[in-house]
Amino acid sequence: MTASLPAAKNIRSRRSSLIRTAVVAAAWLPALWMIWTYFFAPVSIDPVQYLERFSGQVAIIILIASLACTPLTTYLQFRDAATIRKPLGLFAFFYSAIHFLIYSGLDFLFDLQYLGDDVFTKAYLLVGLLALIILLPLAATSFKPVKKAMGRNWRRLHSLVYLINILVVLHYSWAKKGNLWTLSGEQLFPFISGLVVILLLVLRLPFVKRGFLRLKAVLSSPRRTESSPEPKITACSDCPS
Amino acid sequence: MKKNKILTPPIPSSEITPENVYINRRQFMKLAGTLAAGATLAACTPEFSLFEKTPTPSATPEGLTVGAAADELGDAVNSYEEITTYNNFYEFSTDKVAVARLARDFKASPWQVQVGGLVNKPGTYDAGDLIKKYTQEERIYRLRCVEGWSLVIPWQGFVLSDLLKEVEPQASAKYVEFITLMDPEQFPGQSSPSYPWPYSEGLRLDEAMNPLTILATGLYGKPLPPQDGAPIRLVVPWKYGFKSIKSIVSINLTETQPATLWSSIAPQEYGFYANVNPDVSHPRWTQRNERRIGEPGRRPTLKFNGYEADVAALYTGMDLNKYY
């Protein structure tokens, strides 16, 4: 275990803030690209559909990345991940909101009749909208003073991010052509994102965490139990004599 | 703000086709096509596209011709660039924009179309011979994709019924099956296991014999570019775009309803008939509105894609919700 010497702590927190700055800077790039491509360099003759899909893909990737932060810290001791969880979460909200505004505004020109027709009759739009609505209070309560004021309830509220991830995978899958059960059509990527989300959720289960930490302790322990055999002594240039 | 409940957005009176022209639209189109045969329309300027960039000169052939600037409902014909740079052709790629680039070296000649099944005179036709044999005429059709966007396209082609009459379907023939070329070297997307290649589609015989159904061989007066289904493809304008199978190598008359690629992937979502119909939703998406490429916002989807007068008789008494 690394002892918290002042020097080590400084290096670690400087590295954290560098990583955090890099991640935040990178997370702005898709937004810049969207502005650039829409006004100056359209990718296709249907820029609205392109932006709709692109913003959605960015949102889901960032959302899943934010979900990966805690397991990265728990399992791989990558503590810097903890500092980027909040910005990633906020960017996920940002791109989800942009995605929704592109759909309702740029695509449908806020025509309530058309939007009502679609959104309230189709499951994929309903779960997408629901995910965004739930994401809203999470984004609003992301900030330190609010987090402090909420105490234990903050964690309870923010555990809704698990539900959001599931809703978003469903939204993605149901928006695409094909058959999820046979992985035909365009279901491969939604399926993979579903698997990743499931994995990231499973890794959070208490017994999985405990089992992993126990396994880690056993593997890194210098002492051997009587039941396991003595390791073979081979020539080793690195081994301490 | 109260909204007018009419389904069709009002168009300026200047755009309303005169009634006699509308009723005689097929004659009108034929006449316009004949008149325009010698004329050249510089279609390079993307008036109907959303951006200022013009297509690269090599992408737009010279001498593009089109008989009219709009379809029979007064909607503008989309530009050559729009029609040739946005293609659902998964045999090349699922990326609509990449298809044109990947299709550049596609060999559309020599090309044979085998016509057989329950016919008296089966045969194999060279695609070039088909173009010479049957009168090619211009058809300005709307193409409505199941995804919810649409284009107005000036096809050149001949009526499928010309070819079918020549091969003489037998009395037991009830359907026509179409199959696309199977060649993963020409079609890199056919290596994808996500689809049961080759692409296949089908029509009921009376749908195939309908005067609107054409085998298209050209676009804007030029041969079909590969990304649009060279050298020969089906166009059934009152059905969703996936029915208009591209790069056909085989046409077979059958007694039983043929399998189609999309309905074999998801039969509860993609039916055999696939008639454009705002009242029949895809189970997951609505079909009430669409985006016309080049226009902002959405517009209402028309029953049978606006071709109701020509094809509704094919479906009298049929439950369109059941036979989607």
Side-chain angles (χ1 to χ4, degrees):
Chain A
M1 296 296 291
T2 40
S4 277
L5 299 167
K9 194 174 176 199
N10 272 339
I11 291 169
R12 213 175 63 223
S13 61
R14 240 192 71 193
R15 195 184 69 185
S16 271
S17 47
L18 273 173
I19 289 177
R20 194 186 152 125
T21 310
V23 165
V24 169
W28 279 114
L29 292 177
L32 295 176
W33 164 248
M34 289 196 284
I35 293 172
W36 173 260
T37 183
Y38 185 72
F39 290 106
F40 303 110
V43 168
S44 80
I45 52 151
D46 194 358
V48 173
Q49 204 201 39
Y50 175 75
L51 286 184
E52 244 170 38
R53 290 183 57 171
F54 182 76
S55 58
Q57 279 164 354
V58 171
I60 196 173
I61 288 172
I62 294 182
L63 182 68
I64 295 178
S66 76
L67 195 67
C69 288
T70 306
L72 278 173
T73 314
T74 311
Y75 290 87
L76 297 180
Q77 303 286 291
F78 185 49
R79 294 228 156 72
D80 300 315
T83 58
I84 58 173
R85 189 178 74 183
K86 181 174 111 178
L88 285 178
L90 285 171
F91 273 108
F93 170 71
F94 171 68
Y95 283 107
S96 304
I98 298 272
H99 177 66
F100 175 68
L101 285 173
I102 290 173
Y103 167 78
S104 55
L106 208 54
D107 190 349
F108 280 77
L109 299 183
F110 297 119
D111 184 320
L112 293 177
Q113 188 184 7
Y114 285 146
L115 283 170
D117 261 352
D118 279 9
V119 175
F120 296 117
T121 53
K122 292 300 142 181
Y124 86 103
L125 292 170
L126 279 170
V127 297
L129 187 60
L130 189 61
L132 181 62
I133 288 174
I134 299 175
L135 204 40
L136 195 60
L138 265 64
T141 59
S142 281
F143 307 99
K144 265 213 190 106
V146 183
K147 181 173 177 178
K148 225 173 163 189
M150 282 182 73
R152 221 179 300 164
N153 288 321
W154 188 92
R155 216 184 142 135
R156 286 191 192 127
L157 176 68
H158 280 252
S159 62
L160 281 173
V161 77
Y162 308 143
L163 174 64
I164 290 170
N165 268 275
I166 292 166
L167 290 175
V168 160
V169 169
L170 286 176
H171 171 70
Y172 185 20
S173 166
W174 289 343
K176 290 280 184 193
K177 295 184 195 138
N179 188 338
L180 188 62
W181 308 116
T182 56
L183 276 190
S184 56
E186 300 171 316
Q187 292 297 322
L188 186 63
F189 283 134
F191 179 71
I192 289 173
S193 46
L195 281 184
V196 174
V197 167
I198 289 171
L199 174 71
L200 294 175
L201 293 181
V202 162
L203 289 177
R204 283 174 159 79
L205 292 169
F207 72 87
V208 176
K209 264 196 274 191
R210 274 200 302 271
F212 172 80
L213 292 171
R214 224 173 266 158
L215 183 67
K216 218 179 108 179
V218 165
L219 288 174
S220 60
S221 162
R223 267 181 255 129
R224 303 234 163 259
T225 60
E226 284 162 38
S227 51
S228 55
E230 287 279 357
K232 263 194 172 159
I233 296 170
T234 50
C236 165
S237 52
D238 286 335
C239 295
S241 47
Chain B
M1 186 164 55
K2 279 265 180 187
K3 200 160 170 147
N4 208 341
K5 282 285 181 180
I6 51 170
L7 288 178
T8 320
I11 55 173
S13 51
S14 54
E15 281 194 25
I16 295 174
T17 318
E19 194 188 340
N20 60 324
V21 170
Y22 172 71
I23 287 169
N24 298 307
R25 59 197 178 282
R26 217 149 299 118
Q27 282 98 304
F28 168 72
M29 284 193 321
K30 272 199 180 131
L31 176 65
T34 319
L35 285 175
T40 302
L41 182 82
C44 299
T45 45
E47 303 169 65
F48 312 118
S49 95
L50 287 172
F51 14 106
E52 292 149 58
K53 274 187 184 247
T54 50
T56 52
S58 58
T60 312
E62 299 215 356
L64 292 180
T65 60
V66 63
D71 68 4
E72 83 282 7
L73 297 179
D75 294 325
V77 172
N78 284 94
S79 70
Y80 189 80
E81 184 205 7
E82 285 168 339
I83 297 164
T84 60
T85 59
Y86 197 65
N87 310 97
N88 267 337
F89 204 166
Y90 292 5
E91 283 87 334
F92 288 109
S93 170
T94 55
D95 178 342
K96 295 189 199 11
V97 178
V99 169
R101 177 179 45 87
L102 291 166
R104 252 202 303 255
D105 297 323
F106 183 77
K107 276 196 264 330
S109 168
W111 191 276
Q112 312 281 309
V113 180
Q114 171 260 324
V115 186
L118 297 171
V119 296
N120 290 330
K121 299 188 179 145
T124 305
Y125 297 81
D126 180 80
D129 291 342
L130 284 174
I131 294 173
K132 293 196 199 92
K133 195 177 163 83
Y134 301 112
T135 318
Q136 307 288 306
E137 50 180 273
E138 181 175 74
R139 294 291 179 93
I140 297 180
Y141 283 158
R142 293 175 288 285
L143 184 89
R144 166 54 157 95
C145 179
V146 75
E147 295 171 359
W149 52 271
S150 59
L151 288 163
V152 179
I153 302 175
W155 303 106
Q156 267 78 38
F158 60 96
V159 285
L160 177 60
S161 57
D162 280 351
L163 178 59
L164 292 180
K165 281 183 198 141
E166 163 126 356
V167 298
E168 292 175 22
Q170 294 166 359
S172 52
K174 297 208 179 44
Y175 297 92
V176 186
E177 177 196 46
F178 303 85
I179 304 181
T180 298
L181 173 72
M182 180 72 195
D183 184 353
E185 276 190 28
Q186 290 243 65
F187 285 137
Q190 282 180 335
S191 317
S192 164
S194 300
Y195 303 92
W197 306 113
Y199 200 87
S200 65
E201 261 301 337
L203 294 174
R204 219 169 55 188
L205 187 55
D206 56 349
E207 294 175 324
M209 298 295 285
N210 186 283
L212 288 192
T213 308
I214 59 168
L215 284 174
T217 53
L219 172 68
Y220 263 103
K222 292 280 161 209
L224 278 182
Q227 59 267 40
D228 287 287
I232 189 165
R233 69 167 295 164
L234 182 68
V235 182
V236 202
W238 71 96
K239 294 178 182 284
Y240 291 114
F242 65 85
K243 294 294 290 182
S244 293
I245 181 172
K246 300 188 271 286
S247 301
I248 299 169
V249 289
S250 178
I251 300 176
N252 296 311
L253 280 284
T254 63
E255 192 172 5
T256 53
Q257 186 175 297
T260 71
L261 182 134
W262 280 110
S263 62
S264 58
I265 287 178
Q268 72 286 10
E269 295 181 3
Y270 304 99
F272 177 76
Y273 287 95
N275 291 325
V276 176
N277 193 338
D279 302 323
V280 176
S281 295
H282 180 284
R284 290 183 282 117
W285 322 321
T286 66
Q287 295 292 7
R288 297 249 197 105
N289 55 67
E290 65 195 57
R291 184 185 318 116
R292 177 63 51 81
I293 301 292
E295 275 178 15
R298 296 240 156 190
R299 50 156 66 206
T301 292
L302 303 171
K303 194 163 185 190
F304 298 116
N305 208 18
Y307 298 102
E308 190 166 8
D310 300 287
V311 302
L314 295 169
Y315 309 106
T316 39
M318 207 164 98
D319 180 354
L320 294 177
N321 273 290
K322 186 171 170 204
Y323 297 101
Y324 54 89

